[in-house]
Amino acid sequence: MNELFNSDDLLREVVRVPGPGTGTTLQLLHRSRRDAGIASSPRTIMLMHGATFSSASLFDVPLEGQSFMDVLARAGFDVWAVDVRGYGSSSRPAAFREAADANPPQTPAIVAEQDLAAAIDAVCARQAIGGLNLLGMSWGGSVAGRYASRHPERVEKLVLVAPLWLSEQPLRIDQGGPLLAWRDVSLHGARDAWLADAPKAARHDLLPDDGFEQWLEVTRASDTDVNSAATVRAPGGAIADIRNHWHAGKPLYDPGDITSPTLIVHAEWDRDVRIDMMQNLFSQLEHARYRRWLEIGGGTHRILLERQREQAFDAITGFLAEERNTQ
């Protein structure tokens, strides 16, 4: 079932496609210019969300009039964003209906990659293209990086925004305790927690005007499975990935297998993915046709939703649009 919306110069669409396994349905958000021509691989992009919130919550919050998806679409890209199982309005695992400790962690990256692959295949079939660009954020960078390393023929260019990588230090998202099938994440205090990542003197100017309120509205609307406006439910697989792979020295993929041109975007106040992790990852992208790393001052892990976001937007759209001769 598809839902189609027209708004000014942009076409906004919600598409549902079959996922791997019986009865699994994946939600895709679609954005393009109404005057867009025939789709092409270099001008199509798939967005992959992070560990806790849906694609709408990260990529489609209309800050100061337009979201990241809007920006990409107005730059001439055919833009798609997937919610893998357990996120947004995609299928919820049956384990979500049982106690959190009754089942193993749901939707780890190896499962999310299968959902991402199904979404990419569906878009490529619909648009009659052989591949597309791929962007992954945070834990979604794990999923996107793994996919790009295993399906190089499908990925034109790869963008990783603060992607998870190996860490000798504990990562903040893993608070310890048993690994659970799912976790409920409270939105109470979310603004203060977000601002706390920035130096005190910079907190008043970190977010756009009404930015948090708009993010909160989209985030609440994106989770219809929890009967609380102050809570979202997320699979526990991303926490298991951190504990079993990124903090255990067992990477989920080999960056040396990525051949697509690759851009890493990171911000200086990111406490979830540190700069040393990015340096390590960047150094291992040795077989990418070319690679680039942008470090943005004055931003946190959620740089795509902050005042400095346009630096990231400009770098990403420029990287995707450029034509470069490579060896």
Side-chain angles (χ1 to χ4, degrees):
M1 181 175 67
N2 298 352
E3 300 171 21
L4 190 62
F5 308 91
N6 285 309
S7 176
D8 301 324
D9 57 330
L10 297 180
L11 173 71
R12 304 167 187 269
E13 187 179 13
V14 179
V15 179
R16 293 175 177 85
V17 301
T22 304
T24 302
T25 302
L26 305 176
Q27 175 175 278
L28 306 180
L29 304 179
H30 180 213
R31 192 71 35 81
S32 64
R33 285 190 353 200
R34 294 176 66 183
D35 62 354
I38 298 174
S40 68
S41 294
R43 283 283 168 175
T44 305
I45 184 168
M46 177 69 72
L47 309 179
M48 174 66 215
H49 59 78
T52 303
F53 301 109
S54 70
S55 281
S57 180
L58 179 59
F59 304 125
D60 206 21
V61 180
L63 301 174
E64 298 177 324
Q66 63 178 351
S67 70
F68 180 42
M69 291 187 71
D70 295 337
V71 170
L72 289 170
R74 290 191 171 110
F77 293 97
D78 191 39
V79 188
W80 299 80
V82 61
D83 286 334
V84 298
R85 67 188 70 192
Y87 293 87
S89 293
S90 291
S91 294
R92 296 298 174 111
F96 274 33
R97 297 190 292 272
E98 301 181 29
D101 60 359
N103 292 280
Q106 300 295 293
T107 320
I110 58 173
V111 173
E113 187 219 344
Q114 296 170 14
D115 286 353
L116 174 62
I120 290 175
D121 287 349
V123 169
C124 287
R126 169 174 159 155
Q127 306 298 75
I129 55 178
L132 41 65
N133 300 297
L134 178 60
L135 181 149
M137 162 69 188
S138 191
W139 171 75
S142 302
V143 182
R146 180 177 167 90
Y147 180 88
S149 72
R150 289 156 51 86
H151 303 278
E153 76 287 352
R154 280 292 207 193
V155 181
E156 292 279 330
K157 293 180 181 177
L158 176 66
V159 179
L160 301 173
V161 181
L164 283 176
W165 186 242
L166 298 174
S167 175
E168 295 182 357
Q169 302 176 33
L171 295 176
R172 186 169 56 166
I173 191 174
D174 182 5
Q175 297 295 310
L179 292 172
L180 303 174
W182 52 265
R183 55 200 172 97
D184 279 347
V185 180
S186 174
L187 298 177
H188 287 303
R191 180 189 180 96
D192 290 342
W194 187 343
L195 295 177
D197 286 353
K200 189 172 182 180
R203 292 173 189 171
H204 71 285
D205 202 38
L206 182 68
L207 305 182
D209 294 340
D210 298 323
F212 179 78
E213 290 73 19
Q214 292 180 64
W215 172 83
L216 188 62
E217 181 180 353
V218 172
T219 300
R220 285 171 170 167
S222 71
D223 190 339
T224 59
D225 199 50
V226 177
N227 295 321
S228 170
T231 303
V232 295
R233 180 164 294 179
I239 310 301
D241 288 339
I242 289 170
R243 199 172 300 181
N244 297 332
H245 295 280
W246 302 128
H247 190 42
K250 300 176 181 178
L252 279 160
Y253 65 95
D254 182 354
D257 291 337
I258 293 174
T259 58
S260 308
T262 302
L263 170 67
I264 292 177
V265 177
H266 185 258
E268 66 169 329
W269 299 330
D270 192 333
R271 294 173 57 193
D272 295 286
V273 177
R274 302 182 313 277
I275 193 170
D276 62 288
M277 297 162 65
M278 296 301 87
Q279 185 174 19
N280 184 308
L281 174 58
F282 187 79
S283 70
Q284 296 190 50
L285 292 165
E286 56 187 351
H287 295 133
R289 289 199 291 278
Y290 57 93
R291 53 185 166 157
R292 190 172 304 158
W293 175 8
L294 172 68
E295 187 71 18
I296 299 176
T300 77
H301 191 62
R302 302 192 203 183
I303 184 63
L304 297 181
L305 296 164
E306 298 171 353
R307 285 198 185 275
Q308 300 295 343
R309 67 193 182 281
E310 291 186 4
Q311 291 190 57
F313 294 176
D314 289 347
I316 292 167
T317 54
F319 172 75
L320 295 175
E322 72 185 8
E323 296 182 6
R324 242 177 106 89
N325 293 324
T326 59
Q327 295 182 349

